[in-house]
Amino acid sequence: MYPINLPPYEIKIISREGKRMIFDDLRRKYVALTPEEWVRQHFVHYLTGHLGFPSGLLANEVQLQVGDKRLRCDTLLYNKQLQPQMIVEYKSPTITLTQKVFDQISAYNLLLHVDYLVVSNGLQHLCCRMDYASRSFHFLPDLPSYSDL
């Protein structure tokens, strides 16, 4: 897979019917190993293993519905009251993080109204904090630890 800018972890990969699969601890199952999934699994392990995010408050592939349209958030962090607090969107390491990526995550946030939006392609990680009172946001220099949210 691609080299990325995230700490290594003990990766569980198997082959099933000729396809490579990676274990997703949050979904508790093997899923297809794509470049985006490679980033997701490393990023989730970074959140839980290095930044103190509780795995019980994280969920992968959360489905949202807007009218007849179905959307899927890559990862959601919930607060202790089980309200969405952070949306994380992943891209393959070959995809540049552009305005289009932020437009996608912003569409999800129209429904969820979270405090933090995060995008990562495994090489670059961007985090912004929403300020609903001033109808703005600001980028943070680093992803905050869970205790700093």
Side-chain angles (χ1 to χ4, degrees):
M1 242 333 112
Y2 296 98
I4 55 176
N5 185 21
L6 289 163
Y9 74 98
E10 191 174 320
I11 303 165
K12 298 175 189 168
I13 295 176
I14 62 168
S15 263
R16 186 177 291 157
E17 298 175 11
K19 295 180 185 175
R20 293 178 55 174
M21 312 284 284
I22 188 168
F23 191 74
D24 181 328
D25 286 329
L26 299 183
R27 290 180 273 182
R28 294 188 173 102
K29 66 179 184 177
Y30 282 92
V31 297
L33 177 54
T34 63
E36 183 178 307
E37 195 63 47
W38 180 254
V39 173
R40 180 198 328 263
Q41 295 309 316
H42 279 81
F43 201 88
V44 166
H45 281 270
Y46 174 62
L47 292 174
T48 58
H50 296 270
L51 296 179
F53 283 59
S55 61
L57 295 178
L58 290 165
N60 284 337
E61 293 288 323
V62 177
Q63 189 167 327
L64 306 173
Q65 189 162 346
V66 183
D68 292 340
K69 190 173 182 179
R70 294 181 191 270
L71 307 170
R72 271 196 330 247
C73 287
D74 287 339
T75 299
L76 272 181
L77 169 71
Y78 296 92
N79 63 21
K80 291 180 182 174
Q81 292 75 40
L82 300 182
Q83 301 298 313
Q85 186 174 19
M86 177 186 285
I87 303 170
V88 185
E89 178 67 25
Y90 308 106
K91 296 297 177 192
S92 165
T94 61
I95 304 292
T96 303
L97 301 182
T98 63
Q99 184 62 48
K100 186 177 177 182
V101 175
F102 276 94
D103 292 345
Q104 179 182 1
I105 198 170
S106 295
Y108 301 154
N109 199 37
L110 289 174
L111 293 171
L112 299 175
H113 304 283
V114 299
D115 296 328
Y116 297 91
L117 301 178
V118 177
V119 294
S120 176
N121 62 5
L123 300 170
Q124 184 181 19
H125 324 294
L126 302 173
C127 177
C128 63
R129 178 154 171 78
M130 303 303 297
D131 183 345
Y132 293 103
S134 68
R135 300 174 113 191
S136 66
F137 60 90
H138 64 274
F139 284 94
L140 303 178
D142 294 304
L143 192 66
S145 66
Y146 180 74
S147 61
D148 290 335
L149 296 181

